[in-house]
Amino acid sequence: EAGVAQSPRYKIIEKRQSVAFWCNPISGHATLYWYQQILGQGPKLLIQFQNNGVVDDSQLPKDRFSAERLKGVDSTLKIQPAKLEDSAVYLCASSRPRDTVEREQFFGPGTRLTVL
Amino acid sequence: AQSVTQLDSHVSVSEGTPVLLRCNYSSSYSPSLFWYVQHPNKGLQLLLKYTSAATLVKGINGFEAEFKKSETSFHLTKPSAHMSDAAEYFCVVSVNNNDMRFGAGTRLTVKP
């Protein structure tokens, strides 16, 4: 089966600019996650969707970050305006629905964001 | 709340020698525990997982981990390192496979 797709793979912007990342999960995976991985650290969950509804966004900096999954499939994560500390790899993952026993998360290759 | 501590930020071994990557966890509930590997410029890949069945878990590429509740540990081992094992390894704890908390990672270097 095809894996989780993300684009772009790399992005360089200046601070105060806006940026958007796209994720296409594995077909049939109802749950989608966005993680932020700062250099030298483990991934940190930003937001979790179940279909097109938000399950957990407690660690999402809502003053500048937003995410949507309008049709319950693809998702976009936006940052506006970007700050220097947003430089990180943004990972998307997907898994089967919350009521499924086997809910391994499958990760995409990530988008490396550099904010200058 | 659950969390994991990876005791070594960097481990270096020679090819053909054993690998030990250490992980301690904290959880108020019966946890699920995972080890993921991340090769440069590639996505995270699941190595193995513990979900309250057998305490000794075997994963891919010859890796295994043992869940020790008394020590709150879930160390990752491999009898003989290969050059291709060089990567970043993450220990992860979760409750009900929902809230996954990653450790800071251990970078494994394999010397020829």
Side-chain angles (χ1 to χ4, degrees):
Chain A
E1 61 182 359
V4 177
Q6 291 188 248
S7 69
R9 292 294 309 277
Y10 305 91
K11 190 73 177 178
I12 300 174
I13 62 172
E14 295 189 350
K15 61 182 179 182
R16 291 189 288 274
Q17 285 187 323
S18 300
V19 65
F21 312 125
W22 174 82
C23 173
N24 179 242
I26 292 172
S27 178
H29 281 192
T31 310
L32 185 147
Y33 313 79
W34 282 103
Y35 290 85
Q36 179 192 58
Q37 185 178 14
I38 293 173
L39 186 65
Q41 299 180 19
K44 181 185 80 171
L45 180 69
L46 291 176
I47 188 168
Q48 179 187 163
F49 291 94
Q50 174 79 357
N51 296 310
N52 60 352
V54 175
V55 173
D56 180 3
D57 63 357
S58 57
Q59 298 190 84
L60 187 73
K62 298 180 186 63
D63 58 333
R64 298 183 299 104
F65 286 65
S66 63
E68 59 183 15
R69 194 184 183 200
L70 293 176
K71 297 183 179 179
V73 181
D74 294 4
S75 176
T76 56
L77 175 70
K78 297 179 182 178
I79 308 174
Q80 56 181 54
K83 292 185 175 181
L84 296 176
E85 59 261 36
D86 297 333
S87 294
V89 175
Y90 291 85
L91 297 165
C92 180
S94 69
S95 69
R96 293 186 175 88
R98 290 165 62 89
D99 58 353
T100 306
V101 173
E102 287 295 326
R103 295 189 66 243
E104 172 189 344
Q105 292 189 24
F106 293 83
F107 286 82
T111 296
R112 183 178 298 277
L113 173 68
T114 302
V115 182
L116 303 175
Chain B
Q2 59 268 18
S3 64
V4 291
T5 301
Q6 292 185 243
L7 300 171
D8 308 291
S9 60
H10 185 210
V11 170
S12 181
V13 302
S14 297
E15 190 174 21
T17 64
V19 175
L20 170 63
L21 305 183
R22 299 182 295 165
C23 172
N24 286 354
Y25 71 91
S26 173
S27 177
S28 303
Y29 305 94
S30 297
S32 293
L33 293 157
F34 308 78
W35 277 98
Y36 278 84
V37 61
Q38 187 175 38
H39 290 274
N41 299 316
K42 292 191 176 180
L44 286 155
Q45 181 184 21
L46 181 68
L47 276 178
L48 50 80
K49 61 182 176 183
Y50 165 77
T51 54
S52 76
T55 56
L56 182 61
V57 182
K58 294 187 183 299
I60 62 172
N61 300 336
F63 284 95
E64 62 181 37
E66 186 172 7
F67 173 73
K68 291 187 177 180
K69 186 175 181 178
S70 60
E71 299 176 11
T72 61
S73 70
F74 190 59
H75 301 334
L76 181 70
T77 61
K78 182 173 180 177
S80 176
H82 192 273
M83 295 297 291
S84 60
D85 294 328
E88 188 89 16
Y89 290 80
F90 293 95
C91 182
V92 184
V93 64
S94 80
V95 175
N96 298 325
N97 288 346
N98 282 331
D99 186 7
M100 296 183 73
R101 298 298 175 103
F102 283 74
T106 298
R107 179 168 299 279
L108 176 64
T109 300
V110 183
K111 297 175 291 186

